[in-house]
Amino acid sequence: MMHSKIPALAGSLVVVAATLLAVPTAAQPASAASAPAATGPVAPYSGLSPAQRTRLREIARDTWTFFADDVDPHTHLPLDNVTYAGGSSSPTDRGRYTSSANIGVYLWSLVSASDLGLISRDRATELAKQTLREVASLPAYQGFLYQWYDTDNGRALLNPGQGDCPTTGGTFDNCSFLSNVDNGWYASGLVVVKQALPGARKTAAALLGRMDFSLFYDDRAETHCNTNPAIPGNQPTGQMYGGYYVGSPPDVGDNWTHYYHNGALYSDPRISAYIGMGLHQMPGNVWWRSWRELPPPAPYDDCTSDPDFSWQGQWPMTGSWQTVTDPQSGETFPVWEGAYTYPGTDLRFIPTFAGGMFEALMANEVVPETSWGTHGMGLADQRSVAVQQKYATEQLGLPVWGMSPSSTADDTGGYSGYGVEGLRFPYFGAGATAANPNLGLSQCHGCAGEDVVSPHASFLALDVAPQAAYDNLVKLASLFPGVYGSHGFFDAVNPTTGTVGHRILVLDQSMIMAALDNALQDRALQRHFADDPVSSVAHTYLGMERMALE
């Protein structure tokens, strides 16, 4: 899960989510059935009228003005957030800290602003080079960035507001922690800059060349079970770790107790799998050993120590074990291909951990999942939007939809997890049965709130559901006029009370810029990524994936 925006909770929320995925629970070997690899370029984008496109261009212009307030003029680092309390047109507070994810998506925004004609390519190139030169001087480990940095001076932070790190490495806190997913977003920004801004290509390529994503790969012995009981902690080997503590590798002593795995493939950490595999630093195992859903125990007599995942939001679930042959190694893998079903319908979907939109759709802003994964990830992206719409409007009775981790809907400067978890549906906890099934909509029950809508979620949906997403944005602006300001949409609104969180996060604003670039410039950001050799492996794996959704 991504937590670059959570000052005080960074680390704690990460560990909670991932620990639930890593504890011994029922998992089984299964994987998508083999199918021909996808071929062809990124599909053309359509679905918006000329008038709608004109309105979105106006939003893009407003949105871009935020970055003049956000980026530090001396270090050229993007600030995590800016507050405009009460809807002020000028900042009332600034979050003077940043992360690897913030830096990566800011690079998206520079490229998008250039694609959209908001700034010249030369100006975008110069801004990118300024930021990358600063990034090159930040404390780092093997090219990977630590969790937090002070945007005033570039020093590594323990946590925002908690002071500088006295040193880096050798601790089990953010002074030593390298986030897998956040560094994945950073790397994605380097990839698109390489392709979109030739003048900054050398610098971006050099920074990317320092990174070796095998650091995050658990390459210990695998079994045909979901976990390996011979390894302390009964670990799900072959998956990605959620991060790495510099100086304290997971295979030494009891260091493993501080580590967790990004076990869910359909969540935002998959960006690191795309890039790590694309750079040939991780094998295809990470794709097949990661779980599309939290699986039942593997169907072998010796898998009795597989974790029990019956606590998850929907259990039992439909599905079957499939055997897949990895296109690179030729090794075969059993994969559980299951799906959740929206209660009372035949709508099947792949859940995220806490039901948030960016968990599901953020990767699609750069990786062309909707073009290359029409039977897998791209289809899962479409279903995620359908579930968000259906639940918010029919079960919660809200006039708008789109729940995703964001600022709280007030001016306290808080941040929280929001998502469609299906809390209105029955849930019996661990040990649910067919007679008393869990019927939730996310893997975790009670990990997110369902009372706040964030505009960035609708922008993420523009690629897979153009009209529905556009109509939702119109409703947001008309029903809650305070949610839109001189710098575009504010971060959050409570659609029941109408209260607004007048903060703008660089992460969410950059997702909006990327989505507008793709919607208005024929999926330009996706095409930049697709032009890079790193994308070829994603192209192959997305094309052969067959999720249990059809």
Side-chain angles (χ1 to χ4, degrees):
M1 316 281 287
M2 233 181 83
H3 304 285
S4 62
K5 303 181 293 185
I6 309 176
L9 295 182
S12 64
L13 190 57
V14 175
V15 171
V16 169
T19 299
L20 289 172
L21 291 179
V23 291
T25 65
Q28 298 179 328
S31 175
S34 300
T39 57
V42 176
Y45 182 82
S46 61
L48 297 171
S49 72
Q52 291 169 337
R53 293 171 60 84
T54 296
R55 176 59 186 132
L56 290 179
R57 285 194 177 275
E58 293 170 355
I59 293 173
R61 284 193 291 271
D62 291 344
T63 300
W64 174 243
T65 65
F66 159 77
F67 292 90
D69 288 342
D70 182 71
V71 179
D72 186 280
H74 304 294
T75 63
H76 310 290
L77 295 173
L79 280 62
D80 185 85
N81 63 79
V82 179
T83 298
Y84 302 85
S88 170
S89 60
S90 57
T92 58
D93 193 20
R94 287 182 167 93
R96 298 184 180 277
Y97 50 90
T98 198
S99 69
S100 52
N102 288 342
I103 292 166
V105 298
Y106 169 58
L107 296 174
W108 290 6
S109 293
L110 289 176
V111 169
S112 296
S114 174
D115 291 340
L116 291 163
L118 302 174
I119 56 175
S120 68
R121 187 165 73 169
D122 286 347
R123 179 58 177 159
T125 299
E126 180 55 31
L127 291 172
K129 289 170 70 175
Q130 288 174 352
T131 297
L132 294 178
R133 283 194 291 264
E134 179 67 21
V135 171
S137 71
L138 296 177
Y141 179 77
Q142 296 185 8
F144 294 104
L145 301 180
Y146 290 101
Q147 190 65 33
W148 297 111
Y149 294 90
D150 188 325
T151 51
D152 289 334
N153 53 37
R155 294 173 185 160
L157 298 173
L158 173 60
N159 271 314
Q162 295 183 3
D164 295 349
C165 290
T167 185
T168 55
T171 60
F172 289 109
D173 57 28
N174 284 333
C175 291
S176 300
F177 187 67
L178 312 173
S179 167
N180 176 33
V181 60
D182 287 356
N183 276 285
W185 296 124
Y186 164 52
S188 77
L190 296 175
V191 171
V192 297
V193 164
K194 275 179 59 188
Q195 294 302 319
L197 304 175
R201 180 173 297 156
K202 183 177 179 180
T203 305
L207 289 170
L208 187 64
R210 298 178 184 178
M211 306 170 80
D212 184 348
F213 279 85
S214 66
L215 186 72
F216 300 112
Y217 178 64
D218 187 346
D219 65 353
R220 293 174 295 179
E222 299 171 20
T223 70
H224 57 203
C225 303
N226 294 324
T227 56
N228 185 345
I231 292 177
N234 193 27
Q235 298 295 305
T237 51
Q239 296 181 356
M240 295 185 296
Y241 291 113
Y244 183 85
Y245 288 101
V246 174
S248 304
D251 57 351
V252 174
D254 65 355
N255 289 349
W256 66 270
T257 62
H258 298 275
Y259 280 77
Y260 59 90
H261 290 78
N262 286 137
L265 184 63
Y266 192 58
S267 193
D268 42 315
R270 69 185 184 272
I271 187 62
S272 296
Y274 286 132
I275 292 177
M277 292 167 61
L279 292 170
H280 303 288
Q281 296 166 352
M282 292 185 190
N285 303 47
V286 73
W287 187 264
W288 308 118
R289 290 286 295 175
S290 297
W291 299 316
R292 285 114 188 93
E293 308 78 26
L294 304 181
Y300 304 105
D301 292 340
D302 59 345
C303 295
T304 56
S305 62
D306 270 355
D308 175 11
F309 287 130
S310 64
W311 52 261
Q312 66 183 289
Q314 198 162 121
W315 187 272
M317 78 178 91
T318 59
S320 62
W321 290 103
Q322 302 292 326
T323 300
V324 66
T325 300
D326 183 72
Q328 298 183 95
S329 68
E331 184 178 353
T332 59
F333 294 87
V335 177
W336 173 253
E337 287 293 355
Y340 281 18
T341 302
Y342 192 97
T345 75
D346 60 0
L347 174 62
R348 286 184 290 178
F349 64 98
I350 306 300
T352 61
F353 186 77
M357 192 75 94
F358 82 56
E359 295 175 78
L361 298 185
M362 189 172 169
N364 187 55
E365 292 306 308
V366 282
V367 182
E369 292 180 337
T370 46
S371 296
W372 297 346
T374 54
H375 299 282
M377 289 292 183
L379 183 56
D381 293 346
Q382 295 175 24
R383 297 292 173 81
S384 290
V385 174
V387 169
Q388 287 253 352
Q389 289 178 267
K390 190 172 184 65
Y391 184 76
T393 57
E394 295 180 7
Q395 291 297 319
L396 300 181
L398 300 177
V400 291
W401 51 271
M403 296 180 185
S404 192
S406 70
S407 299
T408 52
D410 51 42
D411 285 349
T412 63
Y415 182 89
S416 190
Y418 301 103
V420 166
E421 290 203 348
L423 301 179
R424 296 289 182 95
F425 294 134
Y427 178 75
F428 296 95
T433 65
N436 293 292
N438 293 338
L439 295 177
L441 303 177
S442 64
Q443 291 171 351
C444 182
H445 183 87
C447 288
E450 296 183 337
D451 57 344
V452 168
V453 165
S454 184
H456 79 262
S458 295
F459 285 96
L460 290 176
L462 274 173
D463 194 66
V464 300
Q467 279 301 312
Y470 182 87
D471 291 345
N472 200 49
L473 289 167
V474 170
K475 284 185 179 180
L476 278 167
S478 61
L479 295 177
F480 311 104
V483 80
Y484 197 89
S486 57
H487 302 301
F489 281 96
F490 290 114
D491 205 47
V493 61
N494 182 317
T496 301
T497 65
T499 58
V500 171
H502 294 105
R503 281 209 308 176
I504 297 178
L505 306 181
V506 70
L507 183 69
D508 294 355
Q509 199 79 336
S510 295
M511 284 190 263
I512 292 173
M513 286 294 298
L516 290 169
D517 191 13
N518 284 326
L520 297 173
Q521 296 297 125
D522 198 25
R523 294 185 167 132
L525 202 67
Q526 291 180 356
R527 286 188 285 108
H528 293 317
F529 186 87
D531 286 342
D532 195 275
V534 76
S535 72
S536 63
V537 172
H539 187 271
T540 297
Y541 282 75
L542 283 169
M544 67 183 295
E545 181 79 43
R546 291 294 185 273
M547 290 178 168
L549 298 175
E550 297 176 300

